[in-house]
Amino acid sequence: MTTTTLRAAADVRTGSGGGPAVRAVRRKRVLHWIAMHSLAVAAALFFVLPFVFVFLTSVMSDGQAMSGELWPRAWHWENYAQVFRTPGFLDWWRNSLTYAVLGTVLTVCSSVPVAYALAKFRFRGRRTAMLLVISTMMLPPQVVVVPMYLVWAQQFQLSGSLWPLIIPMAFGDAYSIFLLRQFLLTIPKEYLESARVDGCGELRTLLRIVVPMAKPGIAAVALFQFFYCWNDYFGPQIYAAQNPGAWTLSYGLETFKSAHMVDWNLTMAATLLVMAPVIVVFLFAQKAFVEGVTLTGVKG
Amino acid sequence: MALSHAPALRRKHRRARLRTLGFLSPWLVGFSVFFAYPLIATGYFSFMHYNQIKEPTFVGLRNWTYVLTQMPLFGPALWNTLWLVVVMVALRVVFGLGIGLLVTKVKTGAGLFRTAFYVPYLAPPVAATVAFVFLLSPGSGPVNEILSAVGIDSPPTWFNDPAWAKPSLVMLSLWGIGDLMVIFMAALLDVPKEQYEAAELDGAGAWARFRYVTWPSITPIVMFAVVTGVVQTMQYYTQALVAGKLASGVSVGPGTVIQPGYPDHSTLTVPQLVYSLGFQNFNTGAACVLSLVLFAIAMAVTTLLMRKRTGLLSAED
């Protein structure tokens, strides 16, 4: 954007045609290009090199992983197979997937109608309701964790499982409601009115008109929720810690490292295996994701 | 006025109210059960002695005076949390804005650069932390190998040095700056181009253009980033806990009680202390007091910051 502006401004000032002034501007532009791109490459190294070192270490032998050498002497791909053979590792995958998939479906189903009402219905207390949603977003989970734990563990006997984390998602999630509402605000009233004129009830309007139009917003919320569940450590630590059968990948990984104190190679292979699904999902759904991030920040 | 008393209209209003209630019901239940109730219960337990086995007994303000005046770890935890809130949030905003500016200027390979800057944000916090503990491990980690290769004789021991542990966490958090980059990038692309052209013609240099054109237009987004950053950092937990545990080198199985905050409580944050009081020491009352202190600080900071116009408030149409 700015480069084109610069070019336009330079052309205006110098007129067309070559002269020393034009050459000076052109040289300045080239230097600017070089400076910006060297900066970008330097920054990219900071972001990419950790992945590179983690990967290189993941295919080293046990001994070499501790030696501080950076390039593998031989490529031990079997490290990955060994990680999968670790007792529990496959269970952790299953638990992470269950938590993430169920959590995502429930969150979307429960948050869409709430966000729709907050975005499109006129009612008293609308502003207050929105403020309460935002304040729930602001509340650190640690503030309410003790009494919540006691309810799940003592009244429902559900500690040692992921259900105390999954069930609440059937009752809306503040962050998803907020994001979806921002998205639904952008749908013009006329669509909804014409649906109503045609005799659609609110529920039909929501399902037939709003949901199809809000697909990008819903996709973004679904992705965020999936990643949230996949990445969650605090939740599983509170509710699943006592029962290794209920651990998730995020929780299990740290324990994996503790158990393999010296095996940095296996730990790095496991680390990449925990990162892989989110990165693969992201590469497939980049657009929805970036749109969602932008929406929370900018359209806010 | 008279019209609204017509029975047909009143029925219509009642139907509309029921409809609204119906659509809001999942959240109304969720809010009462998972927000309002536990918040009140936290208040209740803060006046109780309760070890989660015997019935709770009322002890008045004893938990409060204990936590605020006697508990040895309260001071360090509060200090660390506030340190992280100030330093981490400030650096994240500055760095995120810098990277955001950079990606709007870079034309060749723009897509690749953006992806490279964004992907670390997606790495699960535990995985990212494990990776950084390895990268920064004092003996043989790649970072220190490279540092000594370029002639730095005694590089820091990062997560194992009380003075470097928090800066190491900051570095880890700067690595995951992708969300801020995208938000700032979108805001920067929204600044009207004509304003840059006008400033250019007035002879404004790069700094003046940033100061008088870019900055005023992105202030709401910067405020949004600060508020959400403060809220997130008040909850800072996973990375500090995992880094401390792994760097300390103790082998931890389920049920093992470790003293959090290695080294020397330098990475102990308030949320970790809540966990440790509530789930390791079973001192429910003290954990609830600390939760409420955390809540009070979080609320105070956000209200203070929200007074200025922020992205969040402007959502209130």
Side-chain angles (χ1 to χ4, degrees), chain B:
Chain B
M1 211 44 221
L3 257 182
S4 73
H5 290 286
L9 208 63
R10 233 184 307 163
R11 239 185 343 241
K12 204 180 143 200
H13 275 294
R14 204 172 51 215
R15 252 209 327 270
R17 257 207 312 277
L18 279 177
R19 187 195 63 188
T20 308
L21 271 179
F23 276 73
L24 290 179
S25 56
W27 175 71
L28 289 173
V29 173
F31 180 81
S32 342
V33 176
F34 303 113
F35 181 87
Y37 158 73
L39 200 55
I40 294 166
T42 307
Y44 167 81
F45 281 124
S46 76
F47 300 108
M48 298 285 156
H49 174 76
Y50 183 37
N51 60 8
Q52 301 176 21
I53 300 165
K54 290 193 199 133
E55 285 296 299
T57 50
F58 181 76
V59 292
L61 287 174
R62 216 180 300 157
N63 292 321
W64 285 86
T65 48
Y66 168 68
V67 170
L68 296 178
T69 61
Q70 286 163 294
M71 194 170 63
L73 290 181
F74 178 66
L78 192 64
W79 162 250
N80 291 333
T81 301
L82 295 180
W83 190 100
L84 288 167
V85 165
V86 173
V87 178
M88 205 181 261
V89 174
L91 287 179
R92 274 177 65 87
V93 168
V94 171
F95 189 60
L97 187 54
I99 294 288
L101 277 168
L102 188 63
V103 288
T104 58
K105 302 249 151 93
V106 165
K107 292 287 177 269
T108 319
L112 269 181
F113 280 121
R114 275 173 216 185
T115 311
F117 298 156
Y118 189 73
V119 163
Y121 162 68
L122 299 172
V126 176
T129 311
V130 173
F132 265 64
V133 171
F134 161 71
L135 293 166
L136 297 173
S137 53
S140 57
V143 171
N144 277 4
E145 288 295 321
I146 292 171
L147 286 181
S148 37
V150 298
I152 296 171
D153 288 330
S154 47
T157 53
W158 308 108
F159 286 116
N160 295 79
D161 178 346
W164 279 97
K166 280 192 289 286
S168 307
L169 290 173
V170 170
M171 212 150 68
L172 167 62
S173 116
L174 291 183
W175 188 60
I177 202 79
D179 55 336
L180 282 187
M181 174 202 74
V182 171
I183 290 172
F184 283 136
M185 197 177 79
L188 289 167
L189 292 175
D190 266 354
V191 182
K193 283 177 195 164
E194 303 77 47
Q195 294 189 12
Y196 283 113
E197 279 159 31
E200 182 90 12
L201 289 176
D202 289 345
W207 171 247
R209 284 201 302 274
F210 178 79
R211 174 70 190 80
Y212 296 107
V213 178
T214 315
W215 182 253
S217 145
I218 62 168
T219 333
I221 302 302
V222 174
M223 282 308 294
F224 172 85
V226 171
V227 173
T228 49
V230 168
V231 173
Q232 281 166 10
T233 317
M234 299 287 307
Q235 309 170 7
Y236 197 71
Y237 179 82
T238 306
Q239 293 90 333
L241 179 84
V242 173
K245 265 192 191 178
L246 293 189
S248 72
V250 293
S251 177
V252 211
T256 322
V257 177
I258 67 141
Q259 197 59 259
Y262 174 89
D264 284 352
H265 307 303
S266 61
T267 59
L268 179 69
T269 60
V270 176
Q272 276 172 277
L273 202 52
V274 173
Y275 175 80
S276 147
L277 284 172
F279 297 92
Q280 293 179 332
N281 305 340
F282 301 105
N283 188 346
T284 312
C288 287
V289 168
L290 205 58
S291 297
L292 291 173
V293 171
L294 187 67
F295 182 51
I297 300 174
M299 284 314 279
V301 175
T302 42
T303 355
L304 202 74
L305 290 172
M306 294 252 275
R307 275 229 202 108
K308 309 205 171 166
R309 215 184 106 85
T310 67
L312 282 180
L313 265 196
S314 66
E316 280 313 299
D317 49 349

Side-chain angles (χ1 to χ4, degrees), chain A residues 58-115:
Chain A
S58 77
V59 290
M60 287 177 182
S61 65
D62 307 355
Q64 201 199 344
M66 297 203 312
S67 70
E69 285 171 58
L70 300 180
W71 196 259
R73 261 178 260 148
W75 298 73
H76 295 269
W77 297 105
E78 71 278 8
N79 289 348
Y80 284 87
Q82 202 176 330
V83 170
F84 273 105
R85 279 199 302 272
T86 308
F89 199 76
L90 284 174
D91 292 334
W92 302 345
W93 270 85
R94 203 195 46 231
N95 294 334
S96 279
L97 263 182
T98 313
Y99 177 23
V101 170
L102 278 182
T104 305
V105 172
L106 289 176
T107 300
V108 168
C109 293
S110 59
S111 301
V112 166
V114 179

Side-chain angles (χ1 to χ4, degrees), chain A residues 31-77:
Chain A
L31 284 176
H32 183 258
W33 189 95
I34 293 174
M36 281 303 151
H37 282 76
S38 344
L39 250 180
V41 169
L45 286 180
F46 170 68
F47 289 99
V48 172
L49 277 182
F51 286 115
V52 174
F53 288 131
V54 166
F55 167 72
L56 291 175
T57 308
S58 77
V59 290
M60 287 177 182
S61 65
D62 307 355
Q64 201 199 344
M66 297 203 312
S67 70
E69 285 171 58
L70 300 180
W71 196 259
R73 261 178 260 148
W75 298 73
H76 295 269
W77 297 105

